[in-house]
Every structure is written in C-alpha cells, then in structure tokens.
Amino acid sequence: MDIILLGPPGAGKGTQAKRLVAERDLVQLSTGDMLRAAIAAGTPVGLKAKAVMERGELVSDAIVSALIGEHLDKSNGKGAIFDGYPRTGHQAEALELLLADRGRKLDHVIELKVDEDALVERICGRFTCAQCGALYHDTAHPPQVEGVCDECGSTEFKRRPDDNEETVRKRMAEYRAKTAPILPVYESQGLVREVDGMGTVDEVAAAIDAILDA
Ligand code: AMP
C-alpha cells in the first residue's frame, strides 16, 4: 500500500505517519526528515538545503525526488507513507514515475484539513526527544514528567529552527501556492480522501484507519 499524507505544515502528517509505521508494515518517507539528516551530516545536499529551509521555502524538486528514489530502493519493497512529499506538480509527476518503475502505484491520498491559525500554535509549541525522536507539544502533549522523555528517558530535547511564526507563515503560503494545486489532479484520479485534522491524534488516526481498511 502506498499512501500520501497531504496537508499544510503542522497538520499532523508526521504524527500519523509514525503511528501507521508502528501499527502496519509500512515505511515513513519524510523528505523533511531526510533533509534534516543531510544537514546534520553536512552532505552536499544538506549544505544546499539548509538556508532554503530556514527561510521556509521549498528545496528543489530534483533534490527531493532523488532522495525519495534512494529511500524507496532501501525500503525492501514495503509500502510507503509519503509525508511532506510531493509538494509540487513536478514532484507529483516524479513520484508517479518512481512508483511505476517499481511496478507500484498510489492507493490513497489522504488530505488532512486544518485551520491555519490553530496550526501556528501547534507548530510553535512542538519539540522532539533528541535521542529517540518522540514528538511532544508544550501544552497539548508535554512529557508526563517534565523534562524527561516518556519513551526513552532522555532529558535532551530539540526544536526545529523553522518552527517559528514567521517561517511557519511562509511555509503555509508555499503550501497554498505550490502544494494545494496538486490536489485536483489526484481528485480527478479518485484518490483523495479528506480527514478532519483538527481532532485529537486518536480521532484522526481512527478516521485514517477507516479509509485504509475500507
Ligand atoms: P517538513 O518537515 O515536511 O515540514 O519540511 C521542512 C522543510 O523542508 C520545508 O519547509 C522545505 O523547506 C523542505 N522540504 C521538505 N520536503 C520538501 C519537498 N517535498 N519539496 C521541497 N522542499 C521540501
């Protein structure tokens, strides 16, 4: 099963993708995570992407599509949850080819519908465990013991440098201008299912499960 999770920054794509990986035999392919790993490793791709990401703009289609191709080849033929990819029409075309070359095609495009003002609060409060990557939020989902990760006990946390209001607004504008226009193409193929992304994590999860198990 190959699924795209589509929605603006902070819609819950990463949270839902991680849950699906834990519950089903799927891999999460997040171009944002791949780019952050490239930056941390100081690779040529990371060097190119860093400033673009800090401005909240989109990294080039060629770079992200190449990353997706590499990771598809490393995922042992497991179904993929595309998280944060595709983000432009060119990327959507590239994905179709990458899948077709491997005898695969998309099964679902799940659109997480959300209210933009609520997203700014969601994004500006989020942080992750520096050790295991568990996701937290200052008000909505703080660790049970302050300063200690529920999952692995680490006391080190980190915030993304692009999770500030100014960059978030820019990322949303990029979503409206470049990513939302790819939805009609998927709609015309009958692939799009809408989910209300403003519910709790469990409510959103239940709505996604109902689509995948239908
Ligand atoms: P994300 O983690 O998905 O919110 O992505 C963080 C940032 O990485 C974005 O604001 C972009 O700068 C870059 N990025 C991630 N995925 C893509 C993509 N598919 N196309 C272009 N830029 C991307």
Side-chain angles (χ1 to χ4, degrees):
M1 173 138 36
D2 289 307
I3 311 158
I4 295 176
L5 290 182
L6 205 79
K13 302 185 296 290
T15 300
Q16 293 299 332
K18 285 193 169 56
R19 180 192 65 86
L20 287 166
V21 167
E23 292 173 10
R24 301 174 187 244
D25 200 22
L26 297 169
V27 290
Q28 175 189 12
L29 297 185
S30 156
T31 38
D33 285 350
M34 292 169 198
L35 291 166
R36 282 184 286 278
I39 292 173
T43 67
V45 163
L47 291 175
K48 269 195 198 149
K50 187 167 187 285
V52 179
M53 288 170 75
E54 281 171 3
R55 289 196 299 271
E57 293 169 8
L58 293 186
V59 173
S60 83
D61 292 334
I63 287 182
V64 291
S65 294
L67 287 171
I68 287 287
E70 278 168 31
H71 282 77
L72 274 175
D73 289 333
K74 281 193 228 152
S75 57
N76 296 328
K78 282 191 184 181
I81 307 158
F82 297 97
D83 160 10
Y85 178 93
R87 265 174 153 101
T88 66
H90 283 123
Q91 292 178 26
E93 285 162 19
L95 176 60
E96 200 179 333
L97 291 177
L98 286 168
L99 289 175
D101 282 350
R102 291 159 181 81
R104 291 158 63 164
K105 64 174 178 45
L106 283 172
D107 293 286
H108 299 283
V109 175
I110 297 182
E111 183 193 5
L112 294 170
K113 305 279 278 186
V114 278
D115 169 77
E116 274 203 17
D117 286 326
L119 287 186
V120 174
E121 206 214 303
R122 258 197 203 182
I123 295 185
C124 295
R126 70 185 181 180
F127 60 99
T128 55
C129 172
Q131 202 67 45
C132 74
L135 303 169
Y136 295 99
H137 189 277
D138 291 326
T139 51
H141 177 47
Q144 282 166 10
V145 176
E146 196 184 334
V148 183
C149 176
D150 298 344
E151 306 292 330
C152 74
S154 164
T155 53
E156 301 281 319
F157 295 90
K158 59 183 183 184
R159 287 177 195 262
R160 285 171 43 173
D162 57 347
D163 277 353
N164 59 77
E165 179 158 358
E166 190 190 341
T167 312
V168 168
R169 298 264 179 213
K170 175 71 189 166
R171 285 156 62 199
M172 283 175 183
E174 290 280 73
Y175 178 81
R176 275 195 304 273
K178 297 178 184 159
T179 308
I182 66 182
L183 270 164
V185 179
Y186 288 132
E187 269 157 11
S188 71
Q189 296 168 9
L191 289 173
V192 179
R193 302 294 305 271
E194 283 183 12
V195 166
D196 176 5
M198 296 309 296
T200 64
V201 171
D202 288 345
E203 285 164 353
V204 177
I208 292 177
D209 284 342
I211 293 168
L212 301 186
D213 296 332

